[in-house]
Amino acid sequence: MCGLAGFWAFRHLPYSPTDTAQRMADTLIHRGPDDAGVWVDEAAGLAFAHRRLAILDLSPAGHQPMVSATGRYVIVFNGEIYNHQDLRRDLDILGSAPVWRGHSDTETLLACFESWGVEKTLRATVGMFALALWDRSTRTLTLARDRMGEKPLYYGWVNQALVFGSELKSLRAFPGFDNPINRGALSLFLRYDYVPAPWSIYEKIWKLPPGCYVQFHGCSEPYETGGDVKPYWRVVEAIEVGLQEPFIGSETEATEELEQRLRCSIAGQMIADVPVGAFLSGGIDSSTVVALMQDLSPRPVKTFTIGFHERNYNEAEHAKAVARHLGTDHTEFYVTPKDAMAVIPQLSSLYDEPFADASQIPTFMVSQLARSQVTVSLSGDGGDELFGGYHRYFGRYTLWRRLAGLPMTLRRALAFFLTIPSPRGWDRLFAILQPVLPPFLQAKLTGDKIPQLVELLVLDSVAIYHYYCLSHWRHPAKELVLGATEPETIFSCPHQWPPSMAKGRRFFEEVMMFLDQLTYLPDDILVKVDRAAMGVSLETRVPFLDHRVVEFAWQLPLAMKIRRSQSKWLLRQVLYKYVPKELIERPKMGFAVPLDQWLRGPLREWAEDLLSAERLTREGFLDPKPVRQKWAEHLSGLCNRASYLWGVLMWEAFLEGT
């Protein structure tokens, strides 16, 4: 796990390329505190820089940038190739292996590129990565990213130079960086709480989408575009193949196959020359990962969790019970509001781009806790998107299906009735009804969700409703961001969906899982974990996102994922082999903080300063009126507007820090 940066200048630079590349890399020292390197091709105007967090081959033989055995290729690489020993054996069998200098996966990649070329090598990898590859023979620069988007890679144009790096801060270190804010991307951010690929918050800067590579061939490149991006693996194709060639075995056989694929993935990801542990929340996903890790390990696995003193946000007791049953070496830390709020000033620097998933705070804190004992930590991310874990995958569709049969006039009348009590009034009613509600509803019904139900009633498409459910500000380009036009996304482009989904021949739950795997998973969940962990020099690995697990998940019938309103049915069957049901069966809680309470209390002064009408007017990006209205509603205590306000606050904190 490392940080990379570089540039290709198509005109003479009035400054040292070595010094420039070094400055770019120095902004990423948190991603790689163990070593640093720069490589320059002065004739071409190209420079690579690297910061290393040593995980495999801790010797100087793993130093980067690395030149291939023949001298043709040079690489900077961030990530891990879990099957690199298998790739070495393949090269040995073919007689095309070089004389190996060490046992790093970087050296393996270079040998594969020399023997097989770019696309075949990328297709052969099992791992997570972002890389830049320079072909000195053809003067071609290749940028590539792993299949599911675990590792970040930004690139774009600054002063007619192509710049690239693991984080935006490395691009901003390039001399003369003054790219303006992309107001369309800002609109997307305020809708989703993240900036989706391929956009970034800056004009002329892009994120390389997962599973893709892009190549540049010289000074004829246009300075306004993101280049000819090509996929070497596509979620869309994996989904369509899985749907057309479904798994036809029994439930027992499906359980065994899933367990075997997960064991294979986890075994590969436990390989390291440094200490390895795991995050453990006590939920289905992390408990499954830890259970299989412990079964594969001769020693107690180090596990980490954080807890909250606020009961509705605390899963630490559940994690402790799972850890005790599995026999892990467990560490927990209970977070106070003071602890969590101390993290907030660091967020704009950590995330480097506006990012407003509030679980970024506990994610950073559990990463900090894990880094005190290990250098690598496995996580359970991806299980929800692959196996139907989110409540919206079944609860909302069931409700929509029942309501869709009602006449629109009746639905509008019901929507009006629901708006009469305040959200606080609905909370009081739900509190009265809680003793008679089924367990799976007790933690989910709150007054703040009534507005979503109102919107559900009056919309004529469940696909549009899913889009709205993922939106915080519903119409950011119209009601909030000044001078913005919001770009289209995959949600409004069914022609980019798997064909059977685009033609309406699949369950809507599957459509939601597909959309989340292309958007929410790589651009929110994986960004959150990568920046939080790398902020403390911790490598995270995500076993569920091994592409062989992803492909198998899409072969499974929906009934093996969601059954009688129970999520992740098949994954539970794997977990029940190792952990008793009674330690697992409880309502899904999520990894959250009591943000609504904090904004009315200890964070109020900080928020008031960032949300002042004078500040917003002076900056000229946001209309102060709707922001101040949401803030007043939140402070009144009658409504919870934290989901609107946190995005604005993180934007303002980003702007203040740049």
Side-chain angles (χ1 to χ4, degrees):
M1 189 66 62
C2 309
L4 64 87
F7 62 86
W8 190 3
F10 300 136
R11 57 185 177 83
H12 176 70
L13 295 176
Y15 31 78
S16 164
T18 299
D19 292 346
T20 298
Q22 187 66 63
R23 282 196 301 273
M24 294 174 74
D26 285 347
T27 66
L28 305 173
I29 192 170
H30 53 284
R31 299 187 75 94
D34 297 332
D35 190 19
V38 172
W39 184 90
V40 174
D41 184 335
E42 291 201 23
L46 179 135
F48 281 177
H50 191 257
R51 293 293 324 190
R52 185 184 183 200
L53 177 63
I55 303 295
L56 288 174
D57 194 348
L58 309 186
S59 74
H63 177 80
Q64 295 188 50
M66 187 179 290
V67 181
S68 67
T70 66
R72 175 176 176 176
Y73 291 99
V74 186
I75 194 172
V76 277
F77 165 68
N78 164 29
E80 304 291 343
I81 305 301
Y82 304 123
N83 68 329
H84 89 97
Q85 293 291 358
D86 294 333
L87 298 179
R88 287 194 175 204
R89 282 190 287 271
D90 291 343
L91 291 170
D92 288 335
I93 291 170
L94 294 171
S96 54
V99 176
W100 300 110
R101 294 168 285 179
H103 64 273
S104 74
D105 49 357
T106 310
E107 186 181 5
T108 306
L109 271 180
L110 276 172
C112 290
F113 284 130
E114 285 210 311
S115 181
W116 302 336
V118 170
E119 188 156 326
K120 182 178 178 180
T121 296
L122 294 175
R123 288 177 178 271
T125 59
V126 176
M128 56 174 184
F129 59 85
L131 62 85
L133 180 75
W134 175 238
D135 185 336
R136 301 167 78 178
S137 174
T138 63
R139 294 170 68 92
T140 298
L141 175 66
T142 300
L143 306 176
R145 193 175 177 204
D146 65 70
R147 290 173 175 85
M148 296 300 290
E150 292 182 58
K151 293 294 100 188
L153 186 56
Y154 291 89
Y155 71 102
W157 302 99
V158 178
N159 293 334
Q160 297 184 355
L162 176 65
V163 295
F164 50 90
S166 297
E167 297 181 17
L168 281 174
K169 55 174 64 72
S170 63
L171 277 62
R172 288 198 298 266
F174 189 81
F177 183 95
D178 63 352
N179 295 40
I181 295 295
N182 183 330
R183 292 178 184 250
L186 176 56
S187 297
L188 290 172
F189 163 69
L190 290 167
R191 178 180 295 280
Y192 300 120
D193 277 355
Y194 59 83
V195 179
W199 295 278
S200 86
I201 196 62
Y202 295 113
E203 293 183 6
K204 298 184 183 179
I205 303 293
W206 294 270
K207 299 183 185 82
L208 185 63
C212 292
Y213 68 98
V214 61
Q215 293 183 316
F216 298 91
H217 304 282
C219 61
S220 62
E221 304 293 343
Y223 300 135
E224 303 293 328
T225 74
D228 183 16
V229 176
K230 300 176 182 178
Y232 64 89
W233 184 90
R234 299 177 69 223
V235 170
V236 171
E237 292 178 359
I239 291 173
E240 192 63 20
V241 169
L243 296 176
Q244 298 303 319
E245 301 174 7
F247 180 80
I248 57 175
S250 67
E251 292 174 350
T252 299
E253 291 169 331
T255 302
E256 292 172 351
E257 179 67 19
L258 176 57
E259 180 180 6
Q260 183 56 36
R261 294 201 183 205
L262 287 173
R263 289 178 73 90
C264 180
S265 173
I266 290 168
Q269 297 192 23
M270 290 174 69
I271 297 173
D273 295 332
V274 293
V276 178
F279 300 142
L280 178 61
S281 70
I284 303 294
D285 305 329
S286 65
S287 296
T288 302
V289 170
V290 170
L292 292 173
M293 285 181 72
Q294 190 57 73
D295 195 57
L296 290 164
S297 175
R299 297 178 298 277
V301 172
K302 291 183 178 293
T303 54
F304 306 91
T305 190
I306 61 170
F308 295 93
H309 296 288
E310 293 87 353
R311 184 171 177 271
N312 289 340
Y313 294 87
N314 185 42
E315 286 192 303
E317 287 299 320
H318 303 298
K320 182 190 291 186
V322 172
R324 186 183 300 117
H325 177 80
L326 292 173
T328 71
D329 179 3
H330 190 59
T331 303
E332 65 179 16
F333 174 71
Y334 271 77
V335 178
T336 67
K338 183 178 179 181
D339 296 324
M341 287 182 291
V343 174
I344 291 174
Q346 304 176 54
L347 293 177
S348 61
S349 175
L350 273 173
Y351 285 87
D352 203 33
E353 184 173 40
F355 184 80
D357 182 334
S359 61
Q360 63 199 129
I361 299 171
T363 302
F364 175 77
M365 301 192 77
V366 76
S367 298
Q368 210 171 31
L369 179 65
R371 188 62 179 92
S372 66
Q373 298 185 42
V374 301
T375 310
V376 176
S377 184
L378 275 61
S379 85
D381 293 305
D384 286 316
E385 292 81 3
L386 289 174
F387 297 100
Y390 295 124
H391 182 65
R392 62 178 177 264
Y393 293 160
F394 44 97
R396 289 175 182 169
Y397 178 65
T398 300
L399 182 59
W400 169 263
R401 187 170 53 195
R402 292 172 180 171
L403 294 175
L406 299 176
M408 180 58 77
T409 52
L410 181 58
R411 288 158 58 187
R412 291 184 188 278
L414 180 56
F416 175 75
F417 166 75
L418 290 172
T419 62
I420 295 175
S422 68
R424 184 64 60 85
W426 281 110
D427 284 335
R428 287 194 290 267
L429 177 59
F430 293 146
I432 294 170
L433 295 175
Q434 189 170 28
V436 298
L437 290 173
F440 77 93
L441 283 178
Q442 290 178 7
K444 296 180 173 66
L445 288 179
T446 64
D448 295 315
K449 295 183 179 179
I450 294 300
Q452 291 185 358
L453 179 56
V454 170
E455 288 183 332
L456 170 63
L457 283 164
V458 298
L459 292 174
D460 58 5
S461 164
V462 73
I464 294 175
Y465 179 67
H466 179 58
Y467 174 63
Y468 266 51
C469 285
L470 298 178
S471 302
H472 296 271
W473 291 85
R474 297 294 194 257
H475 307 286
K478 295 179 180 178
E479 65 179 334
L480 186 60
V481 183
L482 302 174
T485 300
E486 187 174 333
E488 282 194 337
T489 65
I490 189 71
F491 291 97
S492 56
C493 300
H495 63 279
Q496 298 179 20
W497 297 8
S500 58
M501 289 185 183
K503 295 175 183 177
R505 296 202 299 263
R506 303 304 308 182
F507 295 105
F508 181 67
E509 296 94 326
E510 293 174 321
V511 176
M512 288 191 285
M513 284 187 271
F514 151 67
L515 291 172
D516 279 346
Q517 284 175 41
L518 258 69
T519 57
Y520 181 66
L521 177 62
D523 294 326
D524 184 308
I525 300 298
L526 297 180
V527 169
K528 174 184 67 179
V529 175
D530 174 81
R531 304 304 193 278
M534 292 312 300
V536 294
S537 304
L538 176 75
E539 173 174 303
T540 50
R541 299 177 176 180
V542 190
F544 283 115
L545 298 189
D546 183 307
H547 69 279
R548 297 164 298 188
V549 176
V550 174
E551 290 167 353
F552 179 66
W554 280 104
Q555 290 183 283
L556 296 170
L558 185 61
M560 287 191 185
K561 301 174 185 178
I562 299 171
R563 181 172 298 190
R564 293 187 290 275
S565 295
Q566 185 183 60
S567 65
K568 295 184 272 199
W569 182 86
L570 190 64
L571 196 56
R572 290 172 191 263
Q573 310 316 303
V574 175
L575 179 57
Y576 293 158
K577 292 184 176 183
Y578 302 91
V579 179
K581 287 185 181 182
E582 55 267 24
L583 293 184
I584 297 297
E585 297 296 345
R586 62 182 187 278
K588 184 179 178 66
M589 188 175 292
F591 200 33
V593 294
L595 194 59
D596 57 329
Q597 302 169 32
W598 292 355
L599 287 175
R600 295 189 190 101
L603 289 179
R604 179 170 177 170
E605 184 177 346
W606 168 78
E608 183 64 63
D609 178 58
L610 290 177
L611 300 178
S612 74
E614 180 185 358
R615 174 195 286 264
L616 296 174
T617 301
R618 181 177 67 251
E619 292 166 348
F621 290 103
L622 305 183
D623 183 349
K625 185 177 179 180
V627 175
R628 297 301 301 178
Q629 180 181 341
K630 297 295 186 190
W631 181 229
E633 291 171 353
H634 189 77
L635 291 179
S636 73
L638 298 177
C639 304
N640 179 2
R641 300 304 191 204
S643 65
Y644 295 90
L645 295 168
W646 191 245
V648 177
L649 288 166
M650 288 295 96
W651 156 249
E652 289 297 316
F654 164 81
L655 200 59
E656 185 176 61
T658 56

